[in-house]
Amino acid sequence: MKDILDLTKKELADTLGSYGEKPYRAKQIFTWLHQRRVTSFDQMTDISKTLRSKLAEEYVIGACRADKVQISKLDGTRKYLYRLEDGSFIEGVFMRYRDWNTACISSQVGCAMGCRFCASTINGCERDLSAGEMAEQIYAMEDDTGEAVSNVVIMGSGEPLLNYANLMRFIDIISDGDGKGISKRNITVSTCGIVPAIYKLADEGGDEEHMQINLALSLHAPTDEKRRKLMPIAEKYTLSELTEAMKHYYDRTHRRLTFEYALVSGENDTAQDAEELAKLLRNMGPAGSSALVNLIPVNPVKESGMGRPTREACEAFKNKLENFGINGSIRRELGSDIDGACGQLRMKSHA
Ligand code: SF4
């Protein structure tokens, strides 16, 4: 059976059209699914019984089931381990900020990219997530907390740009005003740097309507040599190719670029690293301002043997960047008392 939550409103309209139904039915059913969040077709009371039965013959309404939830006593961050229909596990994180809530969601089961500091990649990539499975992670968080999510980061397990078609479908669904209606400007896609896909994303919508989502690049090193030691993808694309692609994204969309930089003690956190990073990221934002560098003190992952720098070392790195005119922020360590690093909870469940 297919998951009806995988369908965009347009795809739903096409399906209903093939049943001989009027186009406005798509809007009604989409709202039942993505705004009112019904769990069965019978709850769609303004839809005829015949149509409800027909839909139920072909589709299910998918749902992510939380197998485990860890709640931070420090800040209320919730980390979810979800079990999918096929028995796969993925993780999602609900983060509470002062004025909004952010959902960090996964795009694949596991990840093939092999970044050394990441637990999600230890068993490789098992499969892509569907658009519905991405949305369901957010819906499950809202059901559990009773609070609305307004910002989404696709930064959990998986490389979203390698699941491109489903990612596009998910963004279409989650930003649709007849459903959840999250503004595209509040959606951030985080990539380890798949250069052709960055160009493709930049050119979505043609010359008329650019994709207004934010792009974050997992950079993690200021030179190709160092990056290759941390991230196998660096064997494929150089930093100069990557920064060109990111500039192109900025030129097309004018969305601010973010560069993620996991600080690993003794590997990429020296004053020279900061200087090289600042040089690399010069002119990556609007005139008079720079791109933003998110510094993430790495969560130690036993399997990778990587160490976390001290708070002072992180501050020194940030200050050095700022001396060169680059904005840096040390990521607020939400949920530091729970299994913070991406993929750790899932790994434990397999252990
Ligand atoms: S950091 Fe992201 S891209 Fe790299 S292995 Fe982990 S999930 Fe994959």
Side-chain angles (χ1 to χ4, degrees):
M1 293 277 261
K2 296 172 279 184
D3 183 355
I4 197 165
L5 296 180
D6 286 340
L7 302 182
T8 64
K9 195 167 64 193
K10 159 93 179 52
E11 290 168 338
L12 191 54
D14 292 345
T15 303
L16 294 173
S18 73
Y19 298 168
E21 293 286 339
K22 296 265 186 302
Y24 72 89
R25 289 276 177 227
K27 178 177 177 311
Q28 273 179 308
I29 293 175
F30 193 86
T31 298
W32 277 115
L33 292 169
H34 295 277
Q35 215 170 69
R36 301 191 187 180
R37 304 277 173 73
V38 292
T39 51
S40 105
F41 292 105
D42 282 338
Q43 291 169 279
M44 301 179 176
T45 47
D46 55 2
I47 304 295
S48 72
K49 268 199 172 152
T50 322
L51 177 54
R52 281 187 261 156
S53 314
K54 185 144 182 62
L55 288 170
E57 273 166 28
E58 287 194 31
Y59 293 97
V60 291
I61 302 174
C64 253
R65 278 188 305 278
D67 211 55
K68 196 169 172 185
V69 189
Q70 289 186 335
I71 306 173
S72 165
K73 290 193 180 67
L74 301 176
D75 52 39
T77 294
R78 285 172 186 240
K79 185 152 196 172
Y80 296 89
L81 179 71
Y82 297 117
R83 183 196 290 270
L84 303 175
E85 283 299 319
D86 64 355
S88 307
F89 289 98
I90 51 166
E91 289 181 9
V93 184
F94 173 89
M95 292 166 282
R96 212 175 261 133
Y97 293 87
R98 203 178 60 200
D99 299 321
W100 69 87
N101 296 317
T102 295
C104 173
I105 61 165
S106 294
S107 57
Q108 294 179 313
V109 179
C111 185
M113 304 317 290
C115 302
R116 261 183 64 209
F117 46 83
C118 177
S120 296
T121 195
I122 290 167
N123 293 327
C125 176
E126 290 170 29
R127 70 171 174 88
D128 288 338
L129 293 186
S130 70
E133 286 171 328
M134 289 188 239
E136 286 156 32
Q137 294 170 62
I138 299 169
Y139 300 162
M141 288 176 200
E142 291 192 334
D143 290 346
D144 180 48
T145 59
E147 295 178 36
V149 164
S150 62
N151 290 54
V152 179
V153 292
I154 303 140
M155 210 179 266
S157 66
E159 167 47 58
L161 296 185
L162 289 184
N163 184 12
Y164 195 89
N166 287 342
L167 175 70
M168 290 300 107
R169 198 174 284 122
F170 161 71
I171 292 171
D172 189 332
I173 291 169
I174 208 74
S175 62
D176 192 311
D178 288 322
K180 176 74 193 131
I182 292 181
S183 161
K184 288 197 178 109
R185 290 170 167 260
N186 291 349
I187 299 175
T188 301
V189 170
S190 174
T191 176
C192 69
I194 313 292
V195 168
I198 294 174
Y199 282 102
K200 194 171 173 194
L201 190 66
D203 295 338
E204 282 289 336
D207 286 334
E208 299 296 310
E209 207 180 304
H210 301 305
M211 182 64 91
Q212 284 295 297
I213 56 173
N214 308 304
L215 190 57
L217 173 68
S218 296
L219 189 60
H220 306 313
T223 64
D224 284 316
E225 198 193 340
K226 285 203 168 185
R227 197 163 189 260
R228 281 196 286 266
K229 283 191 195 154
L230 292 171
M231 305 173 75
I233 190 69
E235 301 283 352
K236 196 156 183 188
Y237 303 111
T238 63
L239 283 174
S240 116
E241 288 171 311
L242 259 182
T243 47
E244 270 312 300
M246 293 297 279
K247 260 189 210 148
H248 178 75
Y249 190 82
Y250 176 77
D251 289 343
R252 295 285 287 184
T253 63
H254 293 283
R255 301 300 297 155
R256 186 180 181 134
L257 304 174
T258 307
F259 294 85
E260 306 287 334
Y261 195 97
L263 283 165
V264 185
S265 181
E267 300 242 4
N268 64 359
D269 66 340
T270 64
Q272 195 189 338
D273 291 322
E275 191 172 336
E276 280 169 336
L277 182 61
K279 267 191 222 149
L280 183 74
L281 298 183
R282 255 195 322 241
N283 307 322
M284 292 295 289
S289 83
S290 71
L292 180 71
V293 180
N294 248 331
L295 299 168
I296 311 151
V298 79
N299 271 304
V301 173
K302 198 173 67 216
E303 294 80 352
S304 69
M306 295 202 160
R308 181 193 188 97
T310 61
R311 186 81 204 170
E312 293 71 37
C314 298
E315 288 290 345
F317 195 91
K318 174 176 174 278
N319 293 340
K320 186 91 180 163
L321 277 185
E322 284 174 354
N323 289 343
F324 286 100
I326 300 290
N327 292 316
S329 78
I330 299 174
R331 186 181 288 170
R332 208 176 120 206
E333 291 165 42
L334 291 171
S336 55
D337 56 332
I338 54 181
D339 287 312
C342 170
Q344 282 186 344
L345 193 56
R346 181 168 164 262
M347 282 307 296
K348 279 190 184 170
S349 81
H350 282 296

